[in-house]
Amino acid sequence: QVQLVESGGGLVQAGGSLRLSCEASGRTFSRNAMGWFRQGPGKERDLVAGISGSGNRSQYVNYAKGRFTISRDHGKNTVDLQMNSLKPEDTGVYYCGVYQRDIYYGPIDYWGQGTQVTVSS
């Protein structure tokens, strides 16, 4: 049974940092792209950053460029999101997801349960 478990969320002041981690169990995903997604209050869940199966390629939405870094560790079966210079508008529930293929769009096969990030002004 595949499980994705996120951790690392919390309350932080604007300008602070958080590191989110997503640990997968049940199988490995070296051939699948993975991503971190954000769902703000009353908003849809959108991709924040994606990383290829190999970990050699990544992609970010504009507001994450220069502030967030996605990485993955195949040995630990984890994908992390380092978030720096956080802003109140970064508040939301952050989810990790596994794409069906090694591309940053299309169906998501697995979702984590989400971790809350709250940035105070």
Side-chain angles (χ1 to χ4, degrees):
Q1 180 181 357
V2 172
Q3 278 192 316
L4 302 178
V5 179
E6 298 103 333
S7 61
L11 174 64
V12 65
Q13 288 189 333
S17 298
L18 285 174
R19 187 176 184 88
L20 307 182
S21 186
C22 172
E23 183 174 6
S25 61
R27 57 163 285 193
T28 59
F29 297 103
S30 59
R31 296 185 177 184
N32 300 80
M34 295 185 68
W36 278 98
F37 301 77
R38 180 173 81 193
Q39 187 164 18
K43 298 183 179 180
E44 295 184 350
R45 190 179 302 183
D46 295 318
L47 178 67
V48 175
I51 189 165
S52 64
S54 67
N56 292 336
R57 293 177 287 111
S58 58
Q59 181 173 306
Y60 301 86
V61 295
N62 284 339
Y63 63 75
K65 292 178 181 177
R67 297 192 300 132
F68 296 0
T69 303
I70 190 170
S71 61
R72 67 190 298 173
D73 185 325
H74 290 297
K76 297 179 180 179
N77 215 15
T78 57
V79 59
D80 291 351
L81 185 69
Q82 176 67 43
M83 303 188 296
N84 299 326
S85 302
L86 284 163
K87 305 175 182 180
E89 51 265 42
D90 294 320
T91 293
V93 180
Y94 285 71
Y95 298 87
C96 72
V98 180
Y99 284 96
Q100 192 173 90
R101 299 188 294 164
D102 196 11
I103 52 177
Y104 312 127
Y105 56 89
I108 298 286
D109 274 352
Y110 304 101
W111 288 105
Q113 84 288 351
T115 185
Q116 176 70 45
V117 170
T118 303
V119 184
S120 63
S121 57

